[in-house]
Amino acid sequence: MTITFHQFIQRLSIIVICTMVLCACAAAPTAVVEADPSILRVGISPDAPPLIFKQNNKISGLEAEMALDLAEYLKKTAVFVDVSWENQIPALLENRTDIIMSGMSITLEREYLIAFSKPYFKAGLMLLTKNLQKFNYIKNIETVLVQSVTWRVGVVKETTGESFTREKNIGTKSITAFDDQEAAFNALVSGRIDVFIHDAPNVLMLAAQHRNDGVNPLPVMLNEEYLAWGLRKGDRGLIEAVNAFIDQARRQGTMQTTIKRWIPMAE
């Protein structure tokens, strides 16, 4: 049986609600944590469901669950450190965190500064819009690039959504970079931008959570990205241990199970 993309979003919204209710949450994040061999300081920006977000003042999401599993594997206690997105890499390099687990994609620019674990998920960018009928003709990346000349585009600062949009821009009417996902989404709902370009898991979650606001994702993947965890280049022991955890979780199937629980449409 085949279903339409709209039906898919309807079903996803039900799964999203059930997932958010049933999945365990971690303790609320801490602002400053001193280095300690018994803890794993996990840098997070908890504003990007389903990857990492706050639920009832606790940290939840795919990255949160995997952080707890990783800490258990390392025989450490996970402590979440709330860091603004643009300060994630500086906080890591300044030894204020031990690892970034916050939906970060591997890019060449970031690889100049930090090391990455093995990727754990292949993602990409999608578009979220409030006026789906206006964009029904969008079927592939080529039509996106050609037609974007008439769009007011919203992105989140310092994300691959921003870099992609600025690099591929061929005359976009305007590009506005917001501090976080919530600000960009509110701008879309209020009509201040026409489309919001962001990571596919986040776009699909927003569409499922806010169906009553009339938002819809466009079923076009703009690129391919790989999510991984950021580490200091000098922390060779931790890098090897994190990669060993990823390998084990893949062999045992626990990683795929966790990903599917939070991102039901994951391959």
Side-chain angles (χ1 to χ4, degrees):
M1 179 181 69
T2 60
I3 61 172
T4 66
F5 194 72
H6 179 67
Q7 290 172 322
F8 167 76
I9 293 300
Q10 286 183 316
R11 295 182 184 186
L12 176 60
S13 65
I14 297 173
I15 295 172
V16 165
I17 293 169
C18 293
T19 298
M20 293 179 68
V21 169
L22 294 175
C23 285
C25 299
T30 306
V32 178
V33 183
E34 296 297 326
D36 187 311
S38 68
I39 66 174
L40 180 70
R41 298 173 299 168
V42 183
I44 60 167
S45 302
D47 58 4
L51 300 177
I52 192 81
F53 60 99
K54 287 183 181 179
Q55 181 183 354
N56 299 324
N57 203 36
K58 293 183 180 289
I59 299 302
S60 191
L62 170 62
E63 296 275 22
E65 187 170 343
M66 290 197 293
L68 295 176
D69 290 344
L70 172 62
E72 183 179 359
Y73 174 85
L74 297 174
K75 295 181 172 56
K76 296 175 181 283
T77 299
V79 176
F80 293 98
V81 182
D82 197 335
V83 182
S84 62
W85 177 254
E86 63 272 18
N87 287 318
Q88 281 289 357
I89 290 178
L92 179 70
L93 295 178
E94 292 164 12
N95 197 29
R96 289 186 278 131
T97 61
D98 300 312
I99 188 170
I100 301 170
M101 300 181 71
S102 197
M104 183 168 281
S105 304
I106 300 173
T107 68
L108 286 175
E109 182 181 9
R110 290 169 182 161
E111 284 185 307
Y112 283 124
L113 300 172
I114 64 174
F116 279 100
S117 68
K118 293 181 177 180
Y120 71 86
F121 183 68
K122 183 174 77 171
L125 298 170
M126 289 186 74
L127 299 97
L128 188 68
T129 183
K130 189 176 179 183
N131 187 355
L132 186 60
Q133 290 184 341
K134 181 180 177 181
F135 298 93
N136 274 339
Y137 59 88
I138 300 297
K139 303 298 181 185
N140 51 48
I141 179 62
E142 288 75 19
T143 51
V144 168
L145 297 178
V146 170
Q147 297 298 326
S148 63
V149 65
T150 63
W151 298 349
R152 297 167 300 165
V153 178
V155 296
V156 177
K157 292 178 182 177
E158 305 295 329
T159 63
T160 52
E162 180 180 18
S163 58
F164 174 88
T165 303
R166 297 196 186 281
E167 290 169 7
K168 297 292 185 180
N169 176 30
I170 57 172
T172 302
K173 187 174 182 179
S174 67
I175 301 173
T176 304
F178 296 90
D179 289 333
D180 54 43
Q181 175 177 295
E182 182 179 2
F185 177 78
N186 289 337
L188 178 67
V189 172
S190 65
R192 288 180 284 128
I193 58 174
D194 300 308
V195 298
F196 174 34
I197 296 179
H198 204 38
D199 296 325
N202 307 70
V203 165
L204 291 171
M205 176 69 91
L206 285 170
Q209 287 179 313
H210 298 279
R211 288 177 54 217
N212 292 337
D213 291 315
V215 296
N216 288 281
L218 300 184
V220 176
M221 294 295 290
L222 302 181
N223 66 348
E224 284 188 0
E225 297 178 354
Y226 291 87
L227 301 183
W229 302 324
L231 301 124
R232 284 183 292 274
K233 291 185 177 182
D235 288 350
R236 298 309 309 172
L238 182 57
I239 294 170
E240 291 173 3
V242 169
N243 284 334
F245 164 76
I246 292 173
D247 288 341
Q248 175 179 289
R250 282 177 176 156
R251 285 195 308 271
Q252 296 177 345
T254 55
M255 178 164 286
Q256 292 87 334
T257 300
T258 302
I259 290 171
K260 278 282 191 181
R261 181 157 54 248
W262 290 100
I263 310 176
M265 66 290 181
E267 295 180 358

